[in-house]
Amino acid sequence: MNQKTKARQLKLRKAFLGIRHVNDLCRLLKIDKRRLMLVKSQPRYKAFSIPKKGGGERHIETPSPALKKIQSALNRFLQAVYYFEKSAASYGFIVGVKNEDDRRNVVTNARKHIGNPYLLNVDIKDFFHAVKKKDVMDMFLGEPFGFQTELASILTQLTIYKGRLPMGAPTSPVLSNMACRQLDEVLVELSTKNKWTYTRYADDMSFSGKEEFGEIQVNLIRHIIQEQRFKVNEKKVKHFGPEDPKIVTGLLVSKRVELAPGYIETLEKDIEALEKVMLAQNFQGEIDSKWVDQMKIQIRGRLNFAGFVMGKRKQKYLELKDKYYGAINPPEEDFGAVSWRSFPYNI
């Protein structure tokens, strides 16, 4: 982190750790106390589900605009605190800057495992929901915060829903990282002792080394995770040997980090499907529909991810980008009398 950015993060950390009462919190967040207490006492969320890649559904709980605004402001300060508390193994949801030597993201996470012939992936089940109200309360009461009970309780109520971290709140990722500090510490110590490389990107944990991970080693890792009050998703425990293509957080790890096999092909097919949907929608005279907009957002997100991994100057990425924007902006003459005045060109 460059000195200017580091100084800014230190300033945010100091400001947050220096609050002692709810009035201090309100001044820091620039919010009226009565408004804060009302939102805190009546936290509102909108719950919905989205399909998972491997089947099943992921349950999302989006906070109301008023609560989300408070949580977003809180997240800025919590990220600054965690930046100086993060473990060597933590790579997900961490603030950083482009010219930083120790950048933490999905690519640098996978890169740590280059050169190791054996890989073990372990997934934590229901990650956010595994962090309970008591865990968050204890977090705010303990180091480095050391808040009094009243303030810790208010912060907990602002970030907890149904007794656990909600998936969809801006504060949940950083609080889940904080809840894993001891878990990371124990697993880093174990990995150092056994000459393994260990990284964690949110709920995805990866271990790699020069020797195969046997049942004894896997059971020991499982025991440590359970001891820290988390559960292993047994369906996602995966072993990779010297001859296997190794996947870490969805990326192929070989001599370098690349997109997983089939990622580009699937993305191309999805862009083609989007193009057909856009044609059909507009032939029928429909200008807007929520599910098509959601389809655009999902594909654009995966396109951005491909650019992040490949590099946004790569020819293949530029071709995919052109194909995507061609799909969502088809030629007007193809649609005869259909009006294009309200077509979402800027999506």
Side-chain angles (χ1 to χ4, degrees):
M1 178 178 283
N2 61 32
Q3 291 304 311
K4 186 176 179 181
T5 306
K6 185 175 181 180
R8 183 165 62 248
Q9 294 300 320
L10 281 169
K11 185 178 179 181
L12 291 172
R13 172 190 168 92
K14 184 178 179 180
F16 192 72
L17 296 183
I19 64 176
R20 288 294 173 263
H21 306 286
V22 65
N23 291 337
D24 299 332
L25 178 63
C26 291
R27 279 193 293 270
L28 195 65
L29 301 182
K30 298 179 181 179
I31 185 172
D32 178 72
K33 181 179 178 180
R34 186 173 62 86
R35 180 66 172 162
L36 179 79
M37 299 304 279
L38 178 64
V39 173
K40 180 266 297 182
S41 62
Q42 298 177 358
R44 292 192 174 94
Y45 289 81
K46 181 180 179 181
F48 59 95
S49 299
I50 58 174
K52 292 181 179 180
K53 283 184 180 179
E57 293 186 328
R58 190 181 303 281
H59 301 290
I60 309 295
E61 294 146 333
T62 302
S64 66
L67 179 56
K68 187 174 184 179
K69 185 177 180 181
I70 293 171
Q71 290 175 341
S72 296
L74 271 175
N75 181 57
R76 185 164 165 255
F77 292 101
L78 291 171
Q79 284 284 7
V81 173
Y82 183 68
Y83 187 87
F84 298 97
E85 300 288 326
K86 65 184 183 293
S87 78
S90 182
Y91 276 77
F93 311 126
I94 297 174
V95 67
V97 291
K98 288 184 177 179
N99 60 348
E100 186 176 9
D101 292 333
D102 183 23
R103 294 175 67 187
R104 305 292 183 94
N105 56 51
V106 68
V107 175
T108 57
N109 174 72
R111 196 175 287 153
K112 294 291 289 185
H113 299 278
I114 290 176
N116 285 335
Y118 293 94
L119 172 70
L120 170 70
N121 285 341
V122 179
D123 185 84
I124 298 175
K125 188 175 182 180
D126 299 326
F127 185 50
F128 287 172
H129 292 181
V131 182
K132 306 302 182 184
K133 180 178 180 179
K134 185 181 183 301
D135 299 322
V136 177
M137 182 71 175
D138 289 346
M139 197 184 301
F140 286 127
L141 290 171
E143 294 298 329
F145 301 103
F147 295 145
Q148 296 297 314
T149 302
E150 181 188 13
L151 182 56
S153 178
I154 290 170
L155 288 166
T156 300
Q157 287 175 274
L158 286 169
T159 55
I160 287 293
Y161 181 58
K162 293 185 176 180
R164 60 344 183 234
L165 288 182
M167 180 174 286
T171 44
S172 290
V174 66
L175 289 175
S176 67
N177 267 340
M178 288 184 175
C180 285
R181 283 177 297 173
Q182 189 172 355
L183 172 64
D184 285 341
E185 184 180 331
V186 175
L187 287 175
V188 165
E189 184 179 347
L190 176 68
S191 297
T192 301
K193 181 180 178 181
N194 287 279
K195 297 182 180 180
W196 302 337
T197 297
Y198 161 61
T199 63
R200 180 182 59 80
Y201 191 95
D203 56 345
D204 290 322
M205 311 169 80
S206 296
F207 303 82
S208 63
K210 305 300 181 186
E211 297 180 359
E212 186 174 3
F213 292 87
E215 188 176 346
I216 293 175
Q217 288 87 355
V218 176
N219 283 337
L220 179 56
I221 293 168
R222 184 184 286 112
H223 173 73
I224 291 170
I225 293 170
Q226 292 172 346
E227 201 172 42
Q228 296 296 321
R229 301 186 304 281
F230 291 102
K231 291 182 180 179
V232 173
N233 186 339
E234 298 296 344
K235 294 179 181 178
K236 292 189 175 181
V237 175
K238 294 182 179 179
H239 296 256
F240 300 85
E243 305 304 318
D244 299 321
K246 296 171 184 62
I247 303 297
V248 175
T249 51
L251 296 174
L252 177 66
V253 177
S254 53
K255 292 182 179 179
R256 59 178 181 169
V257 173
E258 305 172 84
L259 290 167
Y263 189 96
I264 293 295
E265 291 78 6
T266 301
L267 182 55
E268 285 178 321
K269 289 178 182 177
D270 287 345
I271 293 173
E272 289 171 5
L274 174 62
E275 183 177 20
K276 291 176 182 177
V277 167
M278 291 295 297
L279 288 170
Q281 174 181 263
N282 288 283
F283 268 126
Q284 294 170 13
E286 295 179 24
I287 300 301
D288 233 351
S289 64
K290 288 184 178 179
W291 72 271
V292 174
D293 288 342
Q294 187 61 37
M295 187 178 183
K296 293 176 191 174
I297 291 169
Q298 289 177 348
I299 293 174
R300 189 173 63 208
R302 289 165 53 210
L303 178 62
N304 286 337
F305 180 74
F308 178 70
V309 176
M310 298 168 64
K312 294 193 174 181
R313 295 183 180 181
K314 293 288 185 180
Q315 183 62 34
K316 188 61 183 178
Y317 169 74
L318 295 173
E319 290 174 4
L320 287 167
K321 184 180 177 182
D322 288 344
K323 196 171 184 178
Y324 170 76
Y325 282 102
I328 65 171
N329 297 313
E332 180 176 346
E333 58 268 20
D334 288 354
F335 298 99
V338 175
S339 172
W340 288 93
R341 292 178 183 175
S342 57
F343 190 80
Y345 281 99
N346 294 323
I347 288 180

